[in-house]
Amino acid sequence: MHEILKIEGLSAGYGPLRVLHEIDFSVQEGERIGLVGLNGHGKSTLMRSVMSLVGWQNGSIRFKGQEIGGARSTGAGRRTHAIVQLGVALTPQGDAIFPGMTVAQHLDCGAHSKLAWRQRAQRRDAVMDIFPPLRKLESALVGTLSGGERRMVSVGRALMTEASLYLIDEPSLGLAPKISKAVLEALFALPKAGKAMVIAEQNVALLAGRVDRMVGMHAGRLRGDVGHVALS
Amino acid sequence: MSTVTLIHGLNLAAIYGLMAIGISILWSSVGMINMAHGATFAASGYAAWQVSLIAQPLIAAWLGTGLDASIAMGATMIASGLGAGAIFGGLIFLLAYLPIHEKANFAVRSLIVTLAINLATVQLLLYFFGPRQRALPKIFGLGRTEILGIPIRNDQLGTIVATALLMLVVVIWLKRSRKGLEITAMMQNPEGAVLSGISVRWTALPVTMLTGALAGLAAILLSQTVFVSPTAGALPLIKGLTIALLGGLGSIPGAIMGAILIGFLEAIVGSISFLGQRYVLFSQFLFIITVLIIRPRGLGGLLDQTRESRNA
Amino acid sequence: MMTQSRRTFLLSTVAAATLAFSQVAFAQDPILIGVPSAQSGPVGIADHQDWLNGVSLAIEEINGAGGVNGRMLDTKVVDIDILSPEGTIAAFQNLTESGVHAIASAFVLIPQPAMDTAAAAGVPYVHGNTQTASLDLFKSDPEKYRNIFQLDVAETWYGSGFIKFISDLKQSGKWTPKNNKVHIVQEQIAYTQVISKATQEAIAASGGEWEIGAITDIQFPVQDWSPIIAALKATDAGVIMIDHWVAAELAAFTQTYVGDPVEDALVYLQYGPSQPEFLDLAAGAGEGFVWGTVYGVYADEKGSAFRETYKAKYPGTMGVVYTGGGYDAVYVLAEAWKKAGDPSDFNAVGDAIRATSFRGVNGAYTFLPETQSGVSYPNMTDDPEAGQAHLFFQVQNGEHKIIAPAPFIEAEFQKAPWMN
Amino acid sequence: MPEMKKLYEIGNRPREIFLSPDGETPTRRSRVPFTRRHWLKWRSRYNPKSLKLEKRLEDKKPLWWMLSLGLLLLVTPFLGNSALTVASIFCMFAAINVLWTLIIGTAGIFSLATLAVVGVSGYAAAAFNVYLGVPWPFMFVIGCLTGLVAGGVLALPSTRLDGLYFALLTLGIVEICRVFVQQLKSLGATNGSINQVDSFIPSDWFLQREGLLLGFFGAFALLLGALLLFKLVNSERLGMLLQTARDEEAFAEAIGIDYRRARLMVFMISSAGLGIIGAFYAMYYRSISPSIFSLDQLLLLFAMIVIGGIGRADGAVLGTAIVVLIDKGLLDLGPVRILIVAAIMLLVTLLTNNGLVGAREQFRNYRNRKKSEARARRTEKGGEVMPEEATDMPDKQEIFYRRFNKRLRDELKLLITPELIEEHRRKPLGRHSDALSRVLNYFRRSEMPDKYAILRQPENFNHYKIVALSGERGAPPRLVDDRLYESIDEAYHAVFLLRVNDLLES
């Protein structure tokens, strides 16, 4: 198995606030990992620091052997687009999407690679197969959709290109249980070969038994996974 | 309304529209109020004038003085105006966007930087070209054309047609092309845009260049009726700004509508004998202020609302 | 190019200065003429540059001939913002502080601060304001403003002189108006308003020879003249007076007008076309238009000689008002200094200027005691050599030609292209 | 080898200003008129080392103000005429800018119509004087009232429009004023300016040395008045109200602060002040012209407050000093001076966060940020205190407490072996070996937040999950992971493992 993501000694934070404490973490090809932990314990920060979106960070992040981390203290977001183009797709928490675009336009935004842009019609179709409710909303403005539909659009955007690592941040946040289940089902149904997925979730029950590995996150450190297994 | 007034109004609307749309696009996508738009206008005028000095004898030697020559000259003028405006836009990107776009209070900061650029450009133009105004070659000729029995001055016709075409191209480009989609994405959510693999830094460059080019074109077109001077940009800037405001900053349809309204207002007030030209500016600003007090977001402004709600 | 001319000017003054220094080494400090010159403000830059060129030319000539009483002349130039009182005061104070012996200024728009600052220092101040306001101010306190002189006349003569001109032209038979209507297009600043008012009064006094066709208001900046053209066509007057002051906009007017003229009308553009850029900008469209100035460079022997030297030094189209004005101003001052002896004795110099009788390139300078301003021929005197001629020009074959008044005529009035 | 110890100088006591009163005589302090504030902020305390009473000047700014203004007042009368005029212009513009700062900074209304208010009031005062013969002392009253009215008119749209929209709108209003004045027929003969205005400077003295001196003292008094007004509004009730509303409007509203009203009040008060300046301006020059509404003039003034720093009175005054000196003092430079102003404006905006007066603070912030980032990278939770961090800690015991904990942990880490874990797994409760007892004792003493606990599953009697306590009343514990333990001993051991894991990681 290939190692897709390898994080070593990652510390990150915002200004004087340190959120992540020397995290070591790795993701293998074909893996589906649940990142669990309460609000405010660094799940989103971990994902965002992979995307180079936090205030400062320090430590090594290797994506398929290529260093995308390093020490950095300003210019959040400056390298993000390059990381996205390497093949990391992040669905941010909440509705960080484009409210004034139609669903179709919004999905097209995800198609950043040349190939994806050329095939955007087919790919949109494929996303709509995954999230059938979007099909009839194709020309509706995203700002007018319901929460669940927006989440589908947001996740769908991440699926538009051939990313090999999907980081999905809190897909169930603020959604009715039934709808969040549907969103997660769609995610679990995605093919696994050659790709990996990390889902951050507060609600452990939603992921139980559906992921290959569950990693706890607590106070800026990883828990669970390493602790139990290695020592017992 | 007489036909003269109609044409005059359309002509003014075209030029104001070019300025206002540039300001509007730049505000909504990059989040800066470009006070150097007037400087872009003046600098492009001078660049085109400089090009015309070189190109005129060359074209005359090559094509003579026929229709070919005047078309070639016109194309050269428009191209040089667009080009100079785009280059100046790039300069604004380098000075007023790149170094400060990550700092706090970018909107006010960039406003100040562009003001400084405006101040400096006017003085530099004055220093290098002197106070004398300069004439650009008449790219549409001096005659008039009859359309549907209405005699229209060639420069007015040319301005209206060229602007309408260009605006159509810009609007379609923004709507259909990939770059346009990227710009829209950046307008609505810069972080979402980076997560879609769009570099905010480098998407801002084409935007500043595009709006600069629009100002450059406006300079060429307006210089068909008035002349190029270092301070020529001040009035188009103020009018463009207030029209963009009237249309609701960031809304392209709003800006176009605002330009048409203001253009016709100017033409009509100017043609009413007891009001006359001297009340034109007065009535325009009064109108804009009234509209804004009634509708604080201007005529359009939906986009800006979504922007606000995201920031909140 | 301006930079070049500025450089050559600097070089030449330096050269002149060093030359002068070697000649009368250790003699005396130069006599300083202060020139407030608009360089960064939005208006007046072109005229002020003309004036400064004229001043420099005269100083070069005088220094070349050995200076005044053995002392060389020199200038001190400061940037002035002629639109605001504080800008005007700052510039004038800077000059009086630095010990200039006289101030020679083309014009300021707000005369009071300038005159008060100069009066406070008592320094002789000659200017070409062409404003009734300046003269009224002088009349309000002749003792205080005793050393302030307006080289030319008030702008009112532009109006009355023009009516006199068209009456004369009609009588000479070179032109027959199609009707007696005069259509006035007026701008809003004081200068144009006073002229318009004077014209209307002259028309009323003409006893029915002329009548007002219509009055159209415009306001700077005029971006498009087509509504004005429409109004002109609606009135269809025999005489059209464009009472506006910005050369570039007048050039734009000629271009619009030529495309759709009022047949047979005589079009008078007042003073604006005197600025050098007019002909360049009008690019041929200016042909046949008439304009005038109460203060312009003659085309007689003296005037032509000046024009040639000026063009040799400052190539390109030459302005014909303030170039000669600046040139004459220095000569008027030099004459006074010769007479008074000590340039630091401001009152003696003032007395000498008051007694001036000097014939320059812009006409003869004698100062009326009640206003300390010039005399206009033929408006105020019948003697061509007793004042400055109110010159009327017509653009003929791409050049300004003097067509009136009588002894200074260069060419006869010709029909404009739109006249049958 | 003796270890070289680097000594850090703590605090900046050498730069403080101290008085040592004898403690017997009562201290007298005068207050700023109309406020409950004192001129200088002296704070008494006993020096913990010498046990002597000392008075420390908490805020050194008033001292600087007095020094610089006093210098200006003393030196200027001995300067030449043009320098005197430049100083007067500086005072007038500084007064305008201080009030403008009140509008932009304190009230948070981004208005560009400041000069327009000055102009309108100046015109009104001048018109009353020239056309109605109102004597000059009343011009101040008229200017003030006009300013108040103009402020009220301008304030109306400010409640509906926000930020930049309002700024651009006021730009339009300035244009309206300019165009309106210029096309007034009655002022046509003077290019829209009103001349021969009566003044506090006798007309014989006008532009003479005496007049200039009088003018300067007047302008200086105006500046003092503006500064006093700034102080009164900014640091008294209104300013305090607005400070609460600056970041959290909704919060301020929720606790009953009518910040909109307060804003309008500040706006009106400043406008009235600007009106007085307008009347003064007309008197100082004995005329007023439409150029006061010109965009260039406005931009120059804006450049002043930008260069100094928006929102602070010292910024407004400093920026005015710089720009006025360049623009009016270096007239000989010609157009280059505008370029210099533009360049300064550009540099200041590109490099500083809030003008020149903010530069010092910005540098400190930058240094602190870099320091804390570096510290954050190095320190671990519960780790030893870094030397530079130690200076910021008021309770020095904390430093030793953390050092002790760190050493303790280092000791305990050595004790943890697979045998020890095995021992615990076999018998989670009961008598343990010495090493295990030590480790468990340490665990028991740990702090309540994030302490682990065992939760019996309500649906299944013999099933346990591990939770972490929140440490806060009312906040429920949370699940650590989804493991289910079949017996209580297994759960005990899992908690032990988690803690060992935490210990080893720390």
Side-chain angles (χ1 to χ4, degrees), chain C residues 111-125 134 136-149 346-347 350 354 372, chain D residues 196-197 201-208 285-286:
Chain C
Q112 189 187 5
M115 287 173 67
D116 279 343
T117 318
V123 63
Y125 165 38
S134 301
D136 290 345
L137 204 62
F138 173 80
K139 278 190 261 180
S140 72
D141 193 348
E143 174 52 27
K144 180 176 170 192
Y145 301 116
R146 63 189 178 280
N147 290 338
I148 296 173
F149 301 88
F346 292 155
N347 286 334
R354 214 164 290 127
Q372 288 199 166
Chain D
Q196 317 276 28
V197 182
I201 307 170
S203 60
D204 309 347
W205 282 11
F206 186 56
L207 288 175
Q208 308 282 352
Y285 288 110
R286 299 189 139 242

Side-chain angles (χ1 to χ4, degrees), chain D residues 25-276:
Chain D
T25 42
T27 44
R28 277 179 208 285
R29 290 189 293 187
S30 59
R31 293 175 194 274
V32 182
F34 315 114
T35 70
R36 289 196 299 272
R37 261 156 242 287
H38 298 117
W39 288 105
L40 291 175
K41 211 175 182 182
W42 290 106
R43 290 286 175 272
S44 311
R45 65 159 203 168
Y46 286 93
N47 187 328
K49 247 184 185 166
S50 64
L51 294 181
K52 274 186 185 150
L53 183 67
E54 57 189 30
K55 278 172 83 181
R56 191 163 66 91
L57 187 61
E58 198 98 301
D59 185 3
K60 278 175 282 185
K61 259 192 237 148
L63 221 58
W64 287 115
W65 273 116
M66 272 186 231
L67 222 62
S68 42
L69 288 178
L71 212 65
L72 178 70
L73 188 63
L74 286 179
V75 171
T76 318
F78 301 101
L79 297 177
N81 280 351
S82 60
L84 203 54
T85 315
V86 170
S88 313
I89 293 177
F90 158 72
C91 287
M92 264 189 281
F93 281 177
I96 295 177
N97 283 335
V98 165
L99 295 185
W100 195 0
T101 299
L102 213 49
I103 295 176
I104 292 191
T106 309
I109 298 176
F110 202 27
S111 161
L112 294 177
T114 312
L115 263 183
V117 174
V118 174
V120 167
S121 324
Y123 262 99
F128 268 87
N129 175 270
V130 172
Y131 299 116
L132 299 177
V134 176
W136 67 262
F138 292 99
M139 283 175 69
F140 288 114
V141 181
I142 293 162
C144 179
L145 290 177
T146 319
L148 203 64
V149 173
V153 172
L154 277 174
L156 281 179
S158 82
T159 51
R160 284 179 61 83
L161 292 168
D162 49 29
L164 284 171
Y165 279 77
F166 183 71
L168 298 182
L169 182 78
T170 49
L171 216 56
I173 291 177
V174 176
E175 275 296 294
I176 284 197
C177 292
R178 187 179 64 80
V179 174
F180 179 74
V181 168
Q182 273 185 340
Q183 56 88 38
L184 270 182
K185 276 270 190 263
S186 53
L187 296 180
T190 49
N191 283 337
S193 60
I194 300 181
N195 298 319
Q196 317 276 28
V197 182
D198 208 2
S199 167
F200 63 95
I201 307 170
S203 60
D204 309 347
W205 282 11
F206 186 56
L207 288 175
Q208 308 282 352
R209 183 77 192 168
E210 301 90 335
L212 290 176
L213 274 175
L214 193 61
F216 167 71
F217 289 127
F220 189 79
L222 205 65
L223 174 59
L224 283 188
L227 286 171
L228 187 66
L229 189 68
F230 182 87
K231 179 99 184 141
L232 271 180
V233 174
N234 189 50
S235 39
E236 290 300 314
R237 190 174 158 272
L238 271 177
M240 291 291 159
L241 285 183
L242 286 170
Q243 236 163 41
T244 57
R246 190 151 313 150
D247 303 321
E248 280 292 331
E249 290 185 354
F251 177 71
E253 204 154 33
I255 59 172
I257 293 175
D258 192 353
Y259 67 89
R260 287 198 184 86
R261 213 179 99 94
R263 267 186 194 171
L264 291 188
M265 287 286 287
V266 173
F267 195 95
M268 304 275 281
I269 292 172
S270 322
S271 299
L274 287 171
I276 296 178

Side-chain angles (χ1 to χ4, degrees), chain A residues 7-8 27 41 56 86 106 109 146 148 157 165-166 178 196 216:
Chain A
I7 297 176
E8 279 174 315
V27 180
H41 282 263
W56 58 265
L86 277 177
H106 197 285
C109 276
S146 74
R157 183 191 56 77
L165 176 63
Y166 291 101
K178 214 173 125 191

Side-chain angles (χ1 to χ4, degrees), chain B residues 217-272:
Chain B
L217 182 72
I220 304 299
L221 294 178
L222 193 63
S223 302
Q224 297 306 308
T225 45
V226 299
F227 302 100
V228 180
S229 77
T231 48
L235 201 73
L237 169 71
I238 291 193
K239 287 205 175 163
L241 265 179
T242 40
I243 289 171
L245 200 60
L246 174 71
L249 276 176
S251 153
I252 295 173
I256 294 177
M257 213 156 90
I260 291 174
L261 271 177
I262 290 296
F264 277 97
L265 187 73
E266 178 165 342
I268 292 167
V269 171
S271 69
I272 297 172

